[in-house]
Amino acid sequence: MELIEVTTPAQAAAFIQVNILLNRSNPSYIRPIDKEIEEVFDPSLNKTFRHGELARWILEDQDGRPIGRIAAFVNKKYRSKGDDVPVGGIGFFDCINNQEAADMLLDVARHWLGQRGMEAMDGPINFGERDKWWGLLVEGFHEPLWSMNFNPAYYRALFENYGFQPFFHQLCFGLDPQKKLSEKVLQRHATLAADPAYRSGMIEKGKLEKYALDFLTIYNAAYAGHGGGKELRKEQAMALFRKMKPLIDERIVWFAYHEDKPIAMFINIPELNQYYKHFNGKFGLLQKLQFVWLRWRGACRHFTGIVFAIVPEFQGKGVDAYIITELAKVVQPAAFYTHYEMQWIGDFNPKMINVAKTLGETFVSRKLTTYRYLFDRTKEFKRHPMLG
């Protein structure tokens, strides 16, 4: 077996192909859009390069056939709550079911990180935000959500045999959006709905700047400083909403207010992989036209929860039930969406897990794991601390 560091455009293209070759026989596999992977490794598009660096490798067998790949990252701003050593990352891991091959890939990443002062590595993670390409799939090997890692079940053994331990688990919750919400949720909703200080509403595409600012207020109050989160700036929120605009279905993006101050948001989007699975990794002009056509036809009946947040002083007051029921009152009569799944929640966040469980007849739809490997094998391993 031979390791080849990716240094040329041809090798970068081959790096993407490894994932396709090793997963093409799996009927649940959906090929990611090539450009979305390429952006991670493009310094002109990925701002993480401002405070980090990366390397990636392809592993070939004796006949020159690709049998694995891996990327290693140093991100000076990457830090999880409770960290006491510098931690690097690995990601975009693919490998045949062979421990020796996996060990070669993980070894080269570990040595590269060690040379740059890292004392541990987390993986598989992203060189960038945590909402994409984060965690190893360990349960729920059905069609992946957009920007979510997908891998065969044997990857878990490859990681754990190497010495990785679970740093935290990532739970996704699903439900049938047409089923009645629980009586508890409906009762809590009724209490707040009777209070004139509370109101809620769907997003309006014509007022995106207003909602971007509301998003900023809620996000920074609810997430900044927790679990590695950082405070967003106005320009980041505006850029996010401009990017989201073509995807927004106003019926499934909701905000709640108390005395006209934003206190909660429930942001969902149509599940993009239900479109992307038709595109074979490409998203040029032809695919964009096909996207518009598929959307017009109503080809996507799935929607995905990407952000649910309540400012701290209103947590535990029923705001979660209030905003969820308001959305359900619009979505359920239309009977358009038939599948719903929330993006992952870390098992270190029991409050959000409890919110997910109170939605109705929810179930864990899939589970991913963020693993950690300490370079000093005598050091005590500690899992991600609990929030709250």
Side-chain angles (χ1 to χ4, degrees):
M1 293 182 286
E2 181 183 6
L3 279 165
I4 300 168
E5 185 172 0
V6 174
T7 59
T8 69
Q11 291 166 340
F15 184 84
I16 288 177
Q17 289 297 315
V18 176
N19 176 260
I20 301 160
L21 291 170
L22 296 187
N23 287 281
R24 61 184 174 183
S25 62
N26 189 328
S28 296
Y29 172 69
I30 296 176
R31 178 178 173 178
I33 299 298
D34 293 351
K35 287 182 179 179
E36 294 184 355
I37 303 297
E38 292 164 356
E39 285 176 1
V40 175
F41 302 98
D42 187 339
S44 68
L45 298 174
N46 187 349
K47 295 179 180 178
T48 312
F49 277 96
R50 296 175 184 176
H51 40 80
E53 60 178 313
L54 62 78
R56 48 187 163 153
W57 298 266
I58 296 169
L59 182 65
E60 294 183 345
D61 66 12
Q62 61 185 7
D63 297 317
R65 293 174 297 199
I67 56 173
R69 68 173 190 172
I70 197 169
F73 328 114
V74 170
N75 178 355
K76 294 177 182 178
K77 293 191 176 182
Y78 176 65
R79 186 174 180 84
S80 299
K81 198 175 182 71
D83 283 357
D84 57 2
V85 296
V87 182
I90 59 139
F92 301 91
F93 172 90
D94 281 297
C95 189
I96 60 171
N97 192 4
N98 179 293
Q99 191 66 51
E100 183 183 358
D103 289 353
M104 286 186 68
L105 289 163
L106 295 167
D107 278 346
V108 71
R110 175 166 58 90
H111 293 150
W112 185 87
L113 291 168
Q115 290 169 355
R116 285 153 181 81
M118 300 297 103
E119 297 180 35
M121 58 184 179
D122 287 354
I125 66 172
N126 184 32
F127 187 57
E129 299 300 328
R130 298 184 181 216
D131 60 343
K132 296 180 180 180
W133 318 120
W134 205 281
L136 188 81
L137 184 64
V138 295
E139 294 177 16
F141 296 91
H142 42 90
E143 287 186 346
L145 301 180
W146 172 60
S147 296
M148 180 171 282
N149 283 333
F150 182 81
N151 53 263
Y154 66 80
Y155 280 28
R156 180 176 186 173
L158 297 180
F159 269 70
E160 294 184 0
N161 289 341
Y162 187 81
F164 278 93
Q165 294 175 266
F167 185 49
F168 59 85
H169 298 299
Q170 305 159 223
L171 305 177
C172 297
F173 289 88
L175 59 77
D176 179 347
Q178 293 305 315
K179 281 193 174 181
K180 184 180 178 181
L181 297 174
S182 69
E183 285 302 320
K184 181 179 178 181
V185 169
L186 295 174
Q187 289 170 7
R188 292 168 71 215
H189 166 267
T191 300
L192 267 65
D195 186 339
Y198 289 91
R199 68 176 179 87
S200 66
M202 296 182 291
I203 196 172
E204 298 175 61
K205 284 189 177 183
K207 300 179 181 179
L208 280 192
E209 182 172 357
K210 171 220 175 332
Y211 289 103
L213 294 176
D214 291 348
F215 169 90
L216 188 69
T217 298
I218 300 165
Y219 182 92
N220 284 343
Y223 286 129
H226 294 287
K230 57 183 183 293
E231 189 167 296
L232 289 179
R233 302 186 305 275
K234 178 181 177 180
E235 56 269 27
Q236 290 175 301
M238 291 300 303
L240 174 64
F241 271 63
R242 283 194 294 269
K243 190 173 183 179
M244 279 179 54
K245 186 174 182 179
L247 311 175
I248 289 174
D249 178 345
E250 293 174 323
R251 299 172 294 178
I252 55 176
V253 181
W254 282 74
F255 286 79
Y257 302 85
H258 181 263
E259 296 180 346
D260 290 329
K261 295 180 181 178
I263 60 169
M265 58 186 173
F266 190 20
I267 298 179
N268 306 275
I269 60 171
E271 176 42 49
L272 293 180
N273 266 1
Q274 294 301 305
Y275 301 114
Y276 288 173
K277 64 183 179 181
H278 301 288
F279 299 163
N280 194 30
K282 308 304 177 188
F283 201 59
L285 177 60
L286 179 62
Q287 289 77 25
K288 290 176 181 177
L289 292 172
Q290 189 177 2
F291 178 90
V292 172
W293 180 71
L294 287 168
R295 190 165 186 178
W296 176 77
R297 282 188 57 220
C300 176
R301 306 295 297 277
H302 300 211
F303 71 116
T304 305
I306 57 172
V307 179
F308 190 102
I310 304 170
V311 301
E313 56 265 40
F314 285 91
Q315 293 174 6
K317 295 185 177 182
V319 176
D320 53 341
Y322 176 63
I323 196 170
I324 289 163
T325 306
E326 291 294 299
L327 180 147
K329 285 162 61 178
V330 171
V331 169
Q332 289 184 338
F336 176 73
Y337 288 108
T338 58
H339 294 78
Y340 178 70
E341 191 168 354
M342 296 182 72
Q343 273 278 8
W344 65 267
I345 304 169
D347 66 352
F348 52 81
N349 192 345
K351 285 185 178 180
M352 280 306 304
I353 289 175
N354 186 58
V355 168
K357 288 180 176 179
T358 59
L359 293 180
E361 296 182 22
T362 58
F363 56 91
V364 176
S365 52
R366 68 186 88 222
K367 178 180 174 182
L368 299 97
T369 299
T370 296
Y371 283 95
R372 174 164 287 188
Y373 181 95
L374 298 174
F375 296 171
D376 179 355
R377 305 307 292 159
T378 66
K379 184 176 175 63
E380 179 187 3
F381 181 87
K382 296 179 182 179
R383 287 200 59 189
H384 192 294
M386 303 295 284
L387 296 182

